[in-house]
mmCIF file of all heavy atoms in Angstrom:
data_model
loop_
_atom_site.group_PDB
_atom_site.id
_atom_site.type_symbol
_atom_site.label_atom_id
_atom_site.label_comp_id
_atom_site.label_asym_id
_atom_site.label_seq_id
_atom_site.Cartn_x
_atom_site.Cartn_y
_atom_site.Cartn_z
ATOM 1 N N TYR K 48 -2.836 2.559 -3.508
ATOM 2 C CA TYR K 48 -3.121 2.212 -4.965
ATOM 3 C C TYR K 48 -4.549 2.164 -5.104
ATOM 4 O O TYR K 48 -5.336 1.908 -4.260
ATOM 5 C CB TYR K 48 -2.320 1.058 -5.412
ATOM 6 C CG TYR K 48 -0.765 1.188 -5.332
ATOM 7 C CD1 TYR K 48 -0.080 1.197 -4.162
ATOM 8 C CD2 TYR K 48 -0.089 1.176 -6.627
ATOM 9 C CE1 TYR K 48 1.286 1.387 -4.188
ATOM 10 C CE2 TYR K 48 1.220 1.172 -6.639
ATOM 11 C CZ TYR K 48 1.970 1.414 -5.507
ATOM 12 O OH TYR K 48 3.326 1.461 -5.489
ATOM 13 N N ARG K 49 -5.009 2.154 -6.384
ATOM 14 C CA ARG K 49 -6.378 1.953 -6.636
ATOM 15 C C ARG K 49 -6.494 1.264 -8.053
ATOM 16 O O ARG K 49 -5.588 1.336 -8.985
ATOM 17 C CB ARG K 49 -7.209 3.203 -6.732
ATOM 18 C CG ARG K 49 -6.890 4.159 -7.823
ATOM 19 C CD ARG K 49 -7.538 5.530 -7.723
ATOM 20 N NE ARG K 49 -7.285 6.454 -8.631
ATOM 21 C CZ ARG K 49 -7.613 7.735 -8.684
ATOM 22 N NH1 ARG K 49 -8.368 8.179 -7.750
ATOM 23 N NH2 ARG K 49 -7.405 8.505 -9.774
ATOM 24 N N GLN K 50 -7.512 0.545 -8.186
ATOM 25 C CA GLN K 50 -7.768 -0.084 -9.461
ATOM 26 C C GLN K 50 -9.372 0.077 -9.839
ATOM 27 O O GLN K 50 -10.078 -0.417 -9.154
ATOM 28 C CB GLN K 50 -7.501 -1.614 -9.406
ATOM 29 C CG GLN K 50 -7.559 -2.314 -10.727
ATOM 30 C CD GLN K 50 -6.897 -3.691 -10.719
ATOM 31 O OE1 GLN K 50 -6.711 -4.197 -9.673
ATOM 32 N NE2 GLN K 50 -6.518 -4.130 -11.850
ATOM 33 N N ALA K 51 -9.493 0.820 -10.900
ATOM 34 C CA ALA K 51 -10.848 1.122 -11.431
ATOM 35 C C ALA K 51 -11.202 0.103 -12.515
ATOM 36 O O ALA K 51 -10.282 -0.550 -13.120
ATOM 37 C CB ALA K 51 -10.966 2.570 -12.005
ATOM 38 N N PRO K 52 -12.414 -0.123 -12.768
ATOM 39 C CA PRO K 52 -12.873 -1.093 -13.887
ATOM 40 C C PRO K 52 -12.222 -0.698 -15.174
ATOM 41 O O PRO K 52 -12.226 0.497 -15.559
ATOM 42 C CB PRO K 52 -14.449 -0.790 -13.934
ATOM 43 C CG PRO K 52 -14.801 -0.382 -12.525
ATOM 44 C CD PRO K 52 -13.592 0.516 -12.090
ATOM 45 N N GLY K 53 -11.555 -1.666 -15.875
ATOM 46 C CA GLY K 53 -10.937 -1.504 -17.127
ATOM 47 C C GLY K 53 -9.610 -0.841 -16.934
ATOM 48 O O GLY K 53 -8.923 -0.494 -18.107
ATOM 49 N N ASN K 54 -9.214 -0.444 -15.776
ATOM 50 C CA ASN K 54 -7.853 0.147 -15.622
ATOM 51 C C ASN K 54 -6.782 -0.736 -14.899
ATOM 52 O O ASN K 54 -7.200 -1.668 -14.277
ATOM 53 C CB ASN K 54 -8.033 1.433 -14.814
ATOM 54 C CG ASN K 54 -8.685 2.492 -15.561
ATOM 55 O OD1 ASN K 54 -9.765 2.418 -16.137
ATOM 56 N ND2 ASN K 54 -7.954 3.676 -15.725
ATOM 57 N N GLN K 55 -5.596 -0.342 -15.162
ATOM 58 C CA GLN K 55 -4.519 -1.032 -14.303
ATOM 59 C C GLN K 55 -4.456 -0.477 -12.844
ATOM 60 O O GLN K 55 -4.956 0.672 -12.697
ATOM 61 C CB GLN K 55 -3.170 -0.818 -15.027
ATOM 62 C CG GLN K 55 -3.033 -1.397 -16.390
ATOM 63 C CD GLN K 55 -3.017 -2.829 -16.394
ATOM 64 O OE1 GLN K 55 -2.273 -3.601 -15.585
ATOM 65 N NE2 GLN K 55 -3.733 -3.519 -17.233
ATOM 66 N N ARG K 56 -3.960 -1.260 -12.025
ATOM 67 C CA ARG K 56 -3.800 -0.757 -10.651
ATOM 68 C C ARG K 56 -2.709 0.364 -10.723
ATOM 69 O O ARG K 56 -1.651 0.308 -11.264
ATOM 70 C CB ARG K 56 -3.328 -1.858 -9.601
ATOM 71 C CG ARG K 56 -3.281 -1.427 -8.273
ATOM 72 C CD ARG K 56 -2.994 -2.602 -7.350
ATOM 73 N NE ARG K 56 -4.202 -3.574 -7.388
ATOM 74 C CZ ARG K 56 -4.312 -4.761 -6.641
ATOM 75 N NH1 ARG K 56 -3.448 -4.873 -5.679
ATOM 76 N NH2 ARG K 56 -5.287 -5.515 -6.788
ATOM 77 N N GLU K 57 -2.967 1.591 -10.139
ATOM 78 C CA GLU K 57 -2.072 2.623 -10.091
ATOM 79 C C GLU K 57 -1.849 3.256 -8.770
ATOM 80 O O GLU K 57 -2.653 3.191 -7.925
ATOM 81 C CB GLU K 57 -2.639 3.747 -11.107
ATOM 82 C CG GLU K 57 -3.904 4.318 -10.478
ATOM 83 C CD GLU K 57 -4.611 5.424 -11.320
ATOM 84 O OE1 GLU K 57 -4.012 5.790 -12.345
ATOM 85 O OE2 GLU K 57 -5.747 5.951 -10.970
ATOM 86 N N LEU K 58 -0.668 3.802 -8.673
ATOM 87 C CA LEU K 58 -0.252 4.554 -7.353
ATOM 88 C C LEU K 58 -1.198 5.798 -7.284
ATOM 89 O O LEU K 58 -1.328 6.500 -8.173
ATOM 90 C CB LEU K 58 1.141 4.856 -7.488
ATOM 91 C CG LEU K 58 1.745 5.823 -6.355
ATOM 92 C CD1 LEU K 58 1.794 5.016 -5.062
ATOM 93 C CD2 LEU K 58 3.029 6.462 -6.701
ATOM 94 N N VAL K 59 -1.524 5.801 -5.995
ATOM 95 C CA VAL K 59 -2.368 7.063 -5.727
ATOM 96 C C VAL K 59 -1.388 8.095 -4.834
ATOM 97 O O VAL K 59 -1.297 9.226 -5.222
ATOM 98 C CB VAL K 59 -3.554 6.802 -4.815
ATOM 99 C CG1 VAL K 59 -4.386 8.033 -4.404
ATOM 100 C CG2 VAL K 59 -4.528 5.911 -5.721
ATOM 101 N N ALA K 60 -0.910 7.544 -3.773
ATOM 102 C CA ALA K 60 0.025 8.318 -2.964
ATOM 103 C C ALA K 60 0.800 7.298 -2.122
ATOM 104 O O ALA K 60 0.334 6.270 -1.763
ATOM 105 C CB ALA K 60 -0.772 9.195 -1.963
ATOM 106 N N ASN K 61 1.993 7.785 -1.647
ATOM 107 C CA ASN K 61 2.808 6.811 -0.982
ATOM 108 C C ASN K 61 3.862 7.616 -0.001
ATOM 109 O O ASN K 61 4.191 8.759 -0.342
ATOM 110 C CB ASN K 61 3.544 5.859 -1.790
ATOM 111 C CG ASN K 61 4.805 6.231 -2.548
ATOM 112 O OD1 ASN K 61 4.785 7.389 -3.166
ATOM 113 N ND2 ASN K 61 5.826 5.649 -2.476
ATOM 114 N N PHE K 62 4.342 6.885 1.003
ATOM 115 C CA PHE K 62 5.497 7.378 1.655
ATOM 116 C C PHE K 62 6.643 6.644 1.233
ATOM 117 O O PHE K 62 6.673 5.389 1.232
ATOM 118 C CB PHE K 62 5.200 7.210 3.208
ATOM 119 C CG PHE K 62 4.329 8.139 3.840
ATOM 120 C CD1 PHE K 62 3.141 7.829 4.260
ATOM 121 C CD2 PHE K 62 4.746 9.431 4.164
ATOM 122 C CE1 PHE K 62 2.249 8.725 4.930
ATOM 123 C CE2 PHE K 62 3.939 10.352 4.720
ATOM 124 C CZ PHE K 62 2.676 9.984 5.274
ATOM 125 N N ALA K 63 7.673 7.384 1.043
ATOM 126 C CA ALA K 63 9.116 6.733 0.846
ATOM 127 C C ALA K 63 9.825 6.460 2.232
ATOM 128 O O ALA K 63 9.184 6.877 3.239
ATOM 129 C CB ALA K 63 9.959 7.608 -0.048
ATOM 130 N N SER K 64 10.825 5.844 2.206
ATOM 131 C CA SER K 64 11.588 5.491 3.322
ATOM 132 C C SER K 64 11.829 6.679 4.260
ATOM 133 O O SER K 64 11.649 6.607 5.509
ATOM 134 C CB SER K 64 12.852 4.723 3.094
ATOM 135 O OG SER K 64 12.669 3.588 2.363
ATOM 136 N N GLY K 65 12.248 7.835 3.651
ATOM 137 C CA GLY K 65 12.579 8.985 4.483
ATOM 138 C C GLY K 65 11.411 9.872 4.883
ATOM 139 O O GLY K 65 11.449 10.767 5.550
ATOM 140 N N GLY K 66 10.101 9.358 4.610
ATOM 141 C CA GLY K 66 8.983 10.144 4.896
ATOM 142 C C GLY K 66 8.439 10.987 3.930
ATOM 143 O O GLY K 66 7.357 11.660 4.047
ATOM 144 N N SER K 67 9.160 11.111 2.733
ATOM 145 C CA SER K 67 8.602 12.072 1.762
ATOM 146 C C SER K 67 7.532 11.489 1.036
ATOM 147 O O SER K 67 7.243 10.173 1.113
ATOM 148 C CB SER K 67 9.679 12.256 0.717
ATOM 149 O OG SER K 67 10.160 11.031 0.114
ATOM 150 N N THR K 68 6.599 12.230 0.427
ATOM 151 C CA THR K 68 5.456 11.743 -0.140
ATOM 152 C C THR K 68 5.264 11.971 -1.678
ATOM 153 O O THR K 68 6.135 12.877 -2.201
ATOM 154 C CB THR K 68 4.178 12.374 0.453
ATOM 155 O OG1 THR K 68 4.305 13.837 0.284
ATOM 156 C CG2 THR K 68 4.028 12.073 1.908
ATOM 157 N N ASN K 69 4.617 11.075 -2.344
ATOM 158 C CA ASN K 69 4.464 11.231 -3.749
ATOM 159 C C ASN K 69 2.946 11.045 -4.020
ATOM 160 O O ASN K 69 2.244 10.266 -3.424
ATOM 161 C CB ASN K 69 5.122 10.194 -4.521
ATOM 162 C CG ASN K 69 6.659 10.243 -4.427
ATOM 163 O OD1 ASN K 69 7.221 11.140 -4.960
ATOM 164 N ND2 ASN K 69 7.303 9.354 -3.682
ATOM 165 N N TYR K 70 2.402 11.736 -4.965
ATOM 166 C CA TYR K 70 0.985 11.742 -5.355
ATOM 167 C C TYR K 70 0.866 11.573 -6.849
ATOM 168 O O TYR K 70 1.647 12.115 -7.699
ATOM 169 C CB TYR K 70 0.219 12.943 -4.973
ATOM 170 C CG TYR K 70 0.098 13.120 -3.399
ATOM 171 C CD1 TYR K 70 1.062 13.826 -2.750
ATOM 172 C CD2 TYR K 70 -0.976 12.651 -2.778
ATOM 173 C CE1 TYR K 70 0.947 14.023 -1.382
ATOM 174 C CE2 TYR K 70 -1.014 12.762 -1.439
ATOM 175 C CZ TYR K 70 -0.116 13.561 -0.737
ATOM 176 O OH TYR K 70 -0.269 13.674 0.549
ATOM 177 N N ALA K 71 -0.182 10.754 -7.280
ATOM 178 C CA ALA K 71 -0.534 10.847 -8.670
ATOM 179 C C ALA K 71 -1.022 12.204 -9.014
ATOM 180 O O ALA K 71 -1.587 12.991 -8.298
ATOM 181 C CB ALA K 71 -1.656 9.741 -8.974
ATOM 182 N N ASP K 72 -0.684 12.594 -10.320
ATOM 183 C CA ASP K 72 -1.110 13.946 -10.781
ATOM 184 C C ASP K 72 -2.597 14.192 -10.749
ATOM 185 O O ASP K 72 -3.084 15.242 -10.374
ATOM 186 C CB ASP K 72 -0.681 14.108 -12.202
ATOM 187 C CG ASP K 72 0.850 14.380 -12.320
ATOM 188 O OD1 ASP K 72 1.495 14.712 -11.306
ATOM 189 O OD2 ASP K 72 1.398 14.154 -13.463
ATOM 190 N N SER K 73 -3.346 13.027 -10.841
ATOM 191 C CA SER K 73 -4.842 13.075 -10.961
ATOM 192 C C SER K 73 -5.390 13.441 -9.574
ATOM 193 O O SER K 73 -6.586 13.812 -9.472
ATOM 194 C CB SER K 73 -5.401 11.839 -11.404
ATOM 195 O OG SER K 73 -5.024 10.701 -10.755
ATOM 196 N N VAL K 74 -4.675 13.227 -8.503
ATOM 197 C CA VAL K 74 -5.123 13.373 -7.077
ATOM 198 C C VAL K 74 -4.467 14.567 -6.391
ATOM 199 O O VAL K 74 -4.902 14.805 -5.247
ATOM 200 C CB VAL K 74 -5.154 12.122 -6.294
ATOM 201 C CG1 VAL K 74 -5.806 10.921 -7.120
ATOM 202 C CG2 VAL K 74 -3.748 11.808 -5.881
ATOM 203 N N LYS K 75 -3.326 15.056 -6.844
ATOM 204 C CA LYS K 75 -2.585 16.109 -6.262
ATOM 205 C C LYS K 75 -3.533 17.268 -5.899
ATOM 206 O O LYS K 75 -4.166 17.759 -6.742
ATOM 207 C CB LYS K 75 -1.428 16.341 -7.136
ATOM 208 C CG LYS K 75 -0.314 17.159 -6.290
ATOM 209 C CD LYS K 75 0.897 17.334 -7.189
ATOM 210 C CE LYS K 75 1.429 15.993 -7.644
ATOM 211 N NZ LYS K 75 2.703 16.086 -8.385
ATOM 212 N N GLY K 76 -3.353 17.765 -4.726
ATOM 213 C CA GLY K 76 -4.181 18.717 -4.306
ATOM 214 C C GLY K 76 -5.666 18.522 -3.766
ATOM 215 O O GLY K 76 -6.320 19.305 -3.187
ATOM 216 N N ARG K 77 -5.937 17.209 -3.904
ATOM 217 C CA ARG K 77 -7.269 16.702 -3.381
ATOM 218 C C ARG K 77 -7.051 15.711 -2.372
ATOM 219 O O ARG K 77 -7.927 15.604 -1.419
ATOM 220 C CB ARG K 77 -8.110 16.236 -4.561
ATOM 221 C CG ARG K 77 -8.516 17.198 -5.553
ATOM 222 C CD ARG K 77 -9.455 16.674 -6.653
ATOM 223 N NE ARG K 77 -8.872 15.439 -7.351
ATOM 224 C CZ ARG K 77 -9.437 14.225 -7.316
ATOM 225 N NH1 ARG K 77 -10.463 14.030 -6.601
ATOM 226 N NH2 ARG K 77 -8.898 13.265 -8.089
ATOM 227 N N PHE K 78 -6.061 14.787 -2.532
ATOM 228 C CA PHE K 78 -5.780 13.710 -1.508
ATOM 229 C C PHE K 78 -4.722 14.056 -0.774
ATOM 230 O O PHE K 78 -3.674 14.720 -1.222
ATOM 231 C CB PHE K 78 -5.516 12.440 -2.274
ATOM 232 C CG PHE K 78 -6.724 11.883 -3.032
ATOM 233 C CD1 PHE K 78 -7.903 12.594 -3.131
ATOM 234 C CD2 PHE K 78 -6.698 10.556 -3.563
ATOM 235 C CE1 PHE K 78 -8.955 12.070 -3.904
ATOM 236 C CE2 PHE K 78 -7.738 10.031 -4.154
ATOM 237 C CZ PHE K 78 -8.913 10.819 -4.360
ATOM 238 N N THR K 79 -4.735 13.600 0.515
ATOM 239 C CA THR K 79 -3.508 13.611 1.396
ATOM 240 C C THR K 79 -3.221 12.337 2.143
ATOM 241 O O THR K 79 -4.195 11.863 2.764
ATOM 242 C CB THR K 79 -3.811 14.759 2.473
ATOM 243 O OG1 THR K 79 -4.076 16.005 1.864
ATOM 244 C CG2 THR K 79 -2.587 15.037 3.350
ATOM 245 N N ILE K 80 -2.039 11.954 2.094
ATOM 246 C CA ILE K 80 -1.589 10.857 2.751
ATOM 247 C C ILE K 80 -0.986 11.199 4.082
ATOM 248 O O ILE K 80 -0.283 12.206 4.110
ATOM 249 C CB ILE K 80 -0.616 9.855 1.991
ATOM 250 C CG1 ILE K 80 -0.444 8.487 2.631
ATOM 251 C CG2 ILE K 80 0.612 10.620 1.762
ATOM 252 C CD1 ILE K 80 0.310 7.527 1.808
ATOM 253 N N SER K 81 -1.271 10.478 5.183
ATOM 254 C CA SER K 81 -0.676 10.781 6.449
ATOM 255 C C SER K 81 -0.564 9.471 7.284
ATOM 256 O O SER K 81 -1.058 8.429 6.840
ATOM 257 C CB SER K 81 -1.546 11.806 7.296
ATOM 258 O OG SER K 81 -2.892 11.264 7.558
ATOM 259 N N ARG K 82 -0.001 9.591 8.462
ATOM 260 C CA ARG K 82 0.237 8.333 9.186
ATOM 261 C C ARG K 82 0.226 8.630 10.688
ATOM 262 O O ARG K 82 0.596 9.807 11.118
ATOM 263 C CB ARG K 82 1.512 7.637 8.759
ATOM 264 C CG ARG K 82 2.803 8.402 8.965
ATOM 265 C CD ARG K 82 4.000 7.682 8.502
ATOM 266 N NE ARG K 82 5.169 8.473 8.494
ATOM 267 C CZ ARG K 82 6.312 8.192 7.955
ATOM 268 N NH1 ARG K 82 6.391 7.093 7.200
ATOM 269 N NH2 ARG K 82 7.369 8.949 8.129
ATOM 270 N N ASP K 83 -0.023 7.607 11.508
ATOM 271 C CA ASP K 83 -0.006 7.698 12.949
ATOM 272 C C ASP K 83 0.821 6.482 13.390
ATOM 273 O O ASP K 83 0.238 5.378 13.373
ATOM 274 C CB ASP K 83 -1.520 7.715 13.474
ATOM 275 C CG ASP K 83 -1.463 7.817 15.023
ATOM 276 O OD1 ASP K 83 -0.378 7.749 15.666
ATOM 277 O OD2 ASP K 83 -2.468 8.233 15.541
ATOM 278 N N ASN K 84 2.053 6.812 13.704
ATOM 279 C CA ASN K 84 2.927 5.646 13.956
ATOM 280 C C ASN K 84 2.544 4.944 15.306
ATOM 281 O O ASN K 84 2.769 3.735 15.403
ATOM 282 C CB ASN K 84 4.408 6.216 14.063
ATOM 283 C CG ASN K 84 4.955 6.623 12.810
ATOM 284 O OD1 ASN K 84 4.661 6.114 11.728
ATOM 285 N ND2 ASN K 84 5.863 7.536 12.872
ATOM 286 N N ALA K 85 1.884 5.658 16.181
ATOM 287 C CA ALA K 85 1.568 5.015 17.470
ATOM 288 C C ALA K 85 0.498 4.009 17.114
ATOM 289 O O ALA K 85 0.347 3.114 17.880
ATOM 290 C CB ALA K 85 1.051 6.050 18.489
ATOM 291 N N LYS K 86 -0.367 4.218 16.157
ATOM 292 C CA LYS K 86 -1.393 3.312 15.786
ATOM 293 C C LYS K 86 -1.214 2.459 14.585
ATOM 294 O O LYS K 86 -1.903 1.622 14.268
ATOM 295 C CB LYS K 86 -2.775 4.189 15.497
ATOM 296 C CG LYS K 86 -3.314 4.873 16.631
ATOM 297 C CD LYS K 86 -4.598 5.711 16.171
ATOM 298 C CE LYS K 86 -5.040 6.491 17.343
ATOM 299 N NZ LYS K 86 -6.341 7.177 17.003
ATOM 300 N N ASN K 87 0.113 2.472 14.127
ATOM 301 C CA ASN K 87 0.449 1.645 12.988
ATOM 302 C C ASN K 87 -0.554 1.791 11.848
ATOM 303 O O ASN K 87 -0.799 0.823 11.164
ATOM 304 C CB ASN K 87 0.726 0.252 13.421
ATOM 305 C CG ASN K 87 1.672 0.056 14.562
ATOM 306 O OD1 ASN K 87 1.373 -0.578 15.580
ATOM 307 N ND2 ASN K 87 2.904 0.669 14.387
ATOM 308 N N THR K 88 -0.866 3.072 11.595
ATOM 309 C CA THR K 88 -1.960 3.293 10.659
ATOM 310 C C THR K 88 -1.579 4.297 9.674
ATOM 311 O O THR K 88 -1.015 5.438 9.978
ATOM 312 C CB THR K 88 -3.283 3.640 11.316
ATOM 313 O OG1 THR K 88 -3.667 2.586 12.236
ATOM 314 C CG2 THR K 88 -4.417 3.943 10.340
ATOM 315 N N VAL K 89 -1.888 4.189 8.409
ATOM 316 C CA VAL K 89 -1.716 5.151 7.359
ATOM 317 C C VAL K 89 -3.171 5.568 6.773
ATOM 318 O O VAL K 89 -4.015 4.642 6.711
ATOM 319 C CB VAL K 89 -0.907 4.602 6.182
ATOM 320 C CG1 VAL K 89 -0.849 5.548 4.928
ATOM 321 C CG2 VAL K 89 0.428 4.262 6.610
#
C-alpha cells in the first residue's frame, strides 16, 4: 500500500491466498509484485 501527502492509504499490489495478484490501475504495467518464499520476502 502507499500513502501520499493529502491522500488516503491505497492498495498498490497484493497477493491473494491462492497467489493471484491485483494491481491498482495507476500502477498496472509498471509495477510487479513478487515473492521469495524461501526468504519470507515480498
